[in-house]
Amino acid sequence: MRVLGIETSCDETGVALFDSQRGLLADALYSQVAMHADFGGVVPELASRDHTRRLLPLIDEVLGTAGLDRRDLDGIAYTAGPGLVGALMVGAATAHGMARALEIPVLGVHHMEGHLLAPMLEDDAPAFPFVALLVSGGHTQLVEVLGLGRYRLLGESVDDAAGEAFDKAAKMLGLDYPGGPQIARLAERGDPKRLRFPRPMTDRPGLDFSFSGLKTHTLTAIRQLDATGALDDQARADVARAFEEAVVDTLVIKCRRALDASGQTRLVVAGGVSANRRLRERLEQECAKRGARAYYPRGRFCTDNGAMIAYAGAQRLLAGERDSATMLAVPRWPLADLTPPANSPLPQ
């Protein structure tokens, strides 16, 4: 089955073509980061309009790369949520319009299920079951995954997601949006011994996260350094290092607890923050201690992309799922609400 995947949940327009026998045939991505950087974050109206401009040319580009025509498609998958409602509607309307014209099935896909299954696109893909750390600008969750659609939420952020905290800390330090890569680059020059920030919610049982207190602590440290005239370039790097290490330590501690509590030996890490080098190094060390293994999508599939939507959509379309005539755009959609398809092509 050849499935076109469309991702328009936030500030990246992603399109990909997945073949259930041959794998990923082509993918393309347009990032709006430069457009939103002037505002220090995503402007929803601008995001929606840019998706409208970029989506159809990207579809043509992907089909051209694969050497296929729209009539060669067997199904279309699109991100139905969670995300910015206007941006979601661009992808949903395009997918439904094309599917109706081509008389093929169409299906709205959960954005986080796409991230969760993104490592399945790799040659050395994880097998079910596993624990997944979904860590991005909008979500920080630990999920036990028993099969397609069989998800048990173990813990999540009660306030800011880790990626959102990176963005806010970067803004405090005068760095550009998005903050994660900027903080990571600056932290490389930081002194790990100068400052130590708290590891929130690690001094109590449980698998939930909270990063708002760490954000406040970071702002206080910056103001104190500034008040004493010590906020120079090295001090900014030291703050970035302390902040990054606090986030990474917190994520690693919670992953360790999740593996121990679930008894699983496979850890999937996906979402934009999964590209962080320090996080990967620490998780590799932690998994090695436990005889476990960590899996990640390739770099370009860590952030939002069409390939993960094409893959996740293909699995459910193959099992017979499809939308009715009504398109879906669900800005808030808990992952735990998903259910397995009746005839899943993947192990249950």
Side-chain angles (χ1 to χ4, degrees), residues 7 9 77-82 107-121 128 130 132-136 139 141 143-152 268-271 297 301 304-317 319 321 333-341 344-348:
E7 157 59 25
S9 65
Y78 65 95
T79 300
L107 180 67
V109 171
H110 194 290
H111 179 76
M112 298 311 294
E113 183 170 63
H115 276 303
L116 188 152
L117 296 177
M120 300 292 189
L121 290 161
F128 294 118
F130 54 79
L133 172 66
L134 302 177
V135 56
S136 65
H139 299 83
Q141 297 177 320
V143 183
E144 185 176 22
V145 180
L146 302 178
L148 181 65
R150 298 180 64 195
Y151 310 132
R152 183 168 71 93
V268 161
V269 189
F301 294 157
D304 296 350
N305 63 87
M308 68 182 192
I309 302 304
Y311 179 85
Q315 308 316 310
R316 288 186 174 271
L317 284 165
E321 288 195 14
W333 188 3
L335 182 66
D337 287 354
L338 295 183
T339 57
S344 173
L346 294 181
Q348 293 299 306

Side-chain angles (χ1 to χ4, degrees), residues 168-185:
K168 291 179 178 178
K171 192 171 184 179
M172 296 174 198
L173 289 167
L175 302 175
D176 291 336
Y177 172 86
Q182 303 290 339
I183 288 279
R185 278 192 287 270

Side-chain angles (χ1 to χ4, degrees), residues 182-239:
Q182 303 290 339
I183 288 279
R185 278 192 287 270
L186 184 59
E188 290 297 322
R189 298 191 284 107
D191 180 356
K193 298 180 180 179
R194 181 177 180 182
L195 300 168
R196 179 177 171 82
F197 288 178
R199 277 60 172 161
M201 294 184 72
T202 58
D203 58 350
R204 68 191 77 173
L207 295 171
D208 285 336
F209 303 87
S210 171
F211 294 105
S212 63
L214 177 60
K215 176 187 64 179
T216 302
H217 186 94
T218 303
L219 180 60
T220 301
I222 291 171
R223 286 176 172 172
Q224 289 175 345
L225 289 166
D226 192 33
T228 59
L231 189 61
D232 55 15
D233 289 344
Q234 184 58 51
R236 286 186 173 87
D238 296 341
V239 169

Side-chain angles (χ1 to χ4, degrees), residues 17-249:
L17 185 58
F18 179 81
D19 186 300
S20 59
Q21 292 185 336
R22 298 167 56 198
L24 186 66
L25 301 182
D27 69 283
L29 182 73
Y30 181 84
S31 175
Q32 302 175 1
V33 164
M35 179 177 67
H36 296 293
D38 291 341
F39 304 95
V42 178
V43 181
E45 177 65 20
L46 294 180
S48 301
R49 294 186 180 199
D50 204 57
H51 287 310
T52 303
R53 283 192 293 267
R54 309 290 179 182
L55 184 51
L56 290 176
L58 281 177
I59 290 172
D60 290 338
E61 177 185 336
V62 165
L63 288 170
T65 300
L68 297 173
D69 184 84
R70 294 185 187 188
R71 290 166 295 185
D72 295 317
L73 297 175
D74 300 307
I76 301 176
Y78 65 95
T79 300
L84 303 174
V85 66
L88 293 170
M89 288 178 68
V90 174
T94 302
H96 268 259
M98 285 183 61
R100 180 167 295 189
L102 297 169
E103 298 182 331
I104 58 176
V106 60
L107 180 67
V109 171
H110 194 290
H111 179 76
M112 298 311 294
E113 183 170 63
H115 276 303
L116 188 152
L117 296 177
M120 300 292 189
L121 290 161
E122 306 305 320
D123 292 335
D124 189 15
F128 294 118
F130 54 79
V131 167
L133 172 66
L134 302 177
V135 56
S136 65
H139 299 83
T140 302
Q141 297 177 320
L142 278 165
V143 183
E144 185 176 22
V145 180
L146 302 178
L148 181 65
R150 298 180 64 195
Y151 310 132
R152 183 168 71 93
L153 182 65
L154 302 175
E156 63 183 339
S157 180
V158 298
D159 42 56
D160 291 356
E164 184 181 5
F166 268 109
D167 288 340
K168 291 179 178 178
K171 192 171 184 179
M172 296 174 198
L173 289 167
L175 302 175
D176 291 336
Y177 172 86
Q182 303 290 339
I183 288 279
R185 278 192 287 270
L186 184 59
E188 290 297 322
R189 298 191 284 107
D191 180 356
K193 298 180 180 179
R194 181 177 180 182
L195 300 168
R196 179 177 171 82
F197 288 178
R199 277 60 172 161
M201 294 184 72
T202 58
D203 58 350
R204 68 191 77 173
L207 295 171
D208 285 336
F209 303 87
S210 171
F211 294 105
S212 63
L214 177 60
K215 176 187 64 179
T216 302
H217 186 94
T218 303
L219 180 60
T220 301
I222 291 171
R223 286 176 172 172
Q224 289 175 345
L225 289 166
D226 192 33
T228 59
L231 189 61
D232 55 15
D233 289 344
Q234 184 58 51
R236 286 186 173 87
D238 296 341
V239 169
R241 180 65 177 263
F243 175 84
E244 183 185 47
E245 291 200 343
V247 173
V248 167
D249 277 357

